[in-house]
Amino acid sequence: MRYLPGENRRLHGAPTTLADYAAKHVLFEVADGIATLTLNRPERKNPLTFDSYAELRDLFLALAYAEDVHAVVIHGAGDNFCSGGDVHEIIGPLTKLDMPSLLAFTRMTGDVVKAMRACPQPIIAAVDGVCAGAGAILALASDMRLATARSKTAFLFTRVGLAGCDMGACALLPRVIGQGRASELLYTGRSFSGDEGERWGFFNRLCEPDVLRGDALRLAKDLVAGPTFAHGMTKRMLQQEWNMGVSEAIEAEAQAQAICMATNDFHRAYHAFVGKQRPVFEGD
């Protein structure tokens, strides 16, 4: 039994697999515990459409129950990550919609980010070339970001007459690079290079363009080899503790760590340490 994004059937907490899912609006494959998601419109710098937004939302929702995926890599086909919403297929039609329809759209795009933050798998964005608008949000909503020096990232919403507070940008970006730097980027809509992004902490590290995807996959492979249940708990705590005081966070972490101490992976790590061996984690 599988959750198939786009169909009117959803599993309610039941485990499933995604290896056989045939994506319609992006490229998607699962191998060795890693899901690779490719934004695949290179001739237009990989812009998003109404359909690709919806498919991304449903895919990340499905990942919450995917037994065969323990890390995710998202990247763009060709030399660019994502240029944001397609001008002709999204921006133009939006100018003709009424307010309820506009709100339905903005809520749907926000649901993509909610699903990315809620799925337990670490998400690695491999950013090359243009990473703008909603594309920059996809990178921001990922857990880690690798980039190239030639990448150009911009939260350019004010450049098209919109507020900088799109898809959670005003909540997420200050937590990654600080309030002052986030304010500059969201007010001005200016782009920043890979070098500047790394200095500011937006990017974890820079890679050469020809090895960017390989480096992202190697990082994902390292995560898959680790205690994947504990990785999911780490992601959950990173998300939940934004809204907690220190005392609440310490209590939440005490509970989370006690749960992890009851896993088989914790026992495997102990016995491997005693035996002077490297632990082999199985995610349970």
Side-chain angles (χ1 to χ4, degrees):
M1 189 174 185
R2 291 179 170 84
Y3 174 109
L4 298 180
E7 294 187 1
N8 293 321
R9 102 183 136 119
R10 295 191 178 191
L11 297 179
H12 298 284
T16 185
T17 60
L18 287 176
D20 296 333
Y21 171 64
K24 296 179 180 178
H25 307 288
V26 297
L27 297 182
F28 183 81
E29 61 179 337
V30 176
D32 301 322
I34 302 169
T36 302
L37 197 160
T38 308
L39 305 173
N40 190 37
R41 300 179 70 197
E43 72 284 356
R44 300 277 295 277
K45 300 180 181 177
N46 306 314
L48 300 174
T49 65
F50 291 115
D51 288 333
S52 59
Y53 266 123
E55 185 161 48
L56 288 173
R57 174 200 60 199
D58 290 347
L59 266 173
F60 282 110
L61 285 172
L63 282 165
Y65 308 112
E67 291 183 314
D68 57 341
V69 178
H70 303 295
V72 180
V73 172
I74 180 169
H75 72 113
D79 297 328
N80 296 285
F81 184 71
C82 176
S83 57
D86 190 288
V87 172
H88 302 293
E89 296 185 43
I90 287 186
I91 309 303
L94 288 179
T95 64
K96 302 174 184 178
L97 296 182
D98 58 17
M99 180 61 70
S101 299
L102 291 169
L103 183 57
F105 169 73
T106 54
R107 283 176 171 164
M108 186 265 285
T109 62
D111 284 344
V112 176
V113 174
K114 290 180 183 179
M116 291 177 70
R117 300 311 309 146
C119 76
Q121 298 88 347
I123 303 169
I124 302 165
V127 178
D128 193 14
V130 171
C131 176
I137 296 291
L138 291 180
L140 174 62
S142 300
D143 296 281
M144 288 165 277
R145 291 161 291 278
L146 307 186
T148 65
R150 70 185 184 185
S151 63
K152 292 188 179 299
T153 303
F155 298 87
L156 45 64
F157 307 109
T158 58
R159 297 289 180 95
V160 295
L162 297 176
C165 57
D166 198 56
M167 298 171 68
C170 285
L172 291 166
L173 191 58
R175 290 178 166 90
V176 174
I177 64 173
Q179 185 78 10
R181 288 168 173 166
S183 297
E184 178 188 345
L185 295 179
L186 296 177
Y187 277 122
T188 67
R190 75 165 179 86
S191 65
F192 59 91
S193 67
D195 290 325
E196 186 175 21
E198 185 189 33
R199 289 198 308 272
W200 282 13
F202 186 82
F203 295 123
N204 293 82
R205 68 172 183 266
L206 299 183
C207 311
E208 293 299 322
D210 59 340
V211 299
L212 173 64
R213 183 182 177 189
D215 284 355
L217 288 170
R218 276 188 289 275
L219 176 55
K221 184 177 179 181
D222 288 343
L223 293 171
V224 169
T228 54
F229 178 88
H231 289 334
M233 187 66 77
T234 301
K235 181 168 180 174
R236 181 181 294 274
M237 288 298 100
L238 284 168
Q239 179 77 6
Q240 289 184 352
E241 290 182 35
W242 284 356
N243 299 315
M244 296 180 184
V246 175
S247 294
E248 293 173 300
I250 290 172
E251 174 58 23
E253 291 191 3
Q255 296 178 25
Q257 205 69 302
I259 292 171
C260 289
M261 288 174 181
T263 64
N264 291 323
D265 272 348
F266 178 66
H267 292 266
R268 291 184 186 104
Y270 167 72
H271 291 298
F273 179 80
V274 171
K276 298 182 179 179
Q277 298 174 339
R278 184 173 180 176
V280 177
F281 295 114
E282 297 182 21
D284 62 345

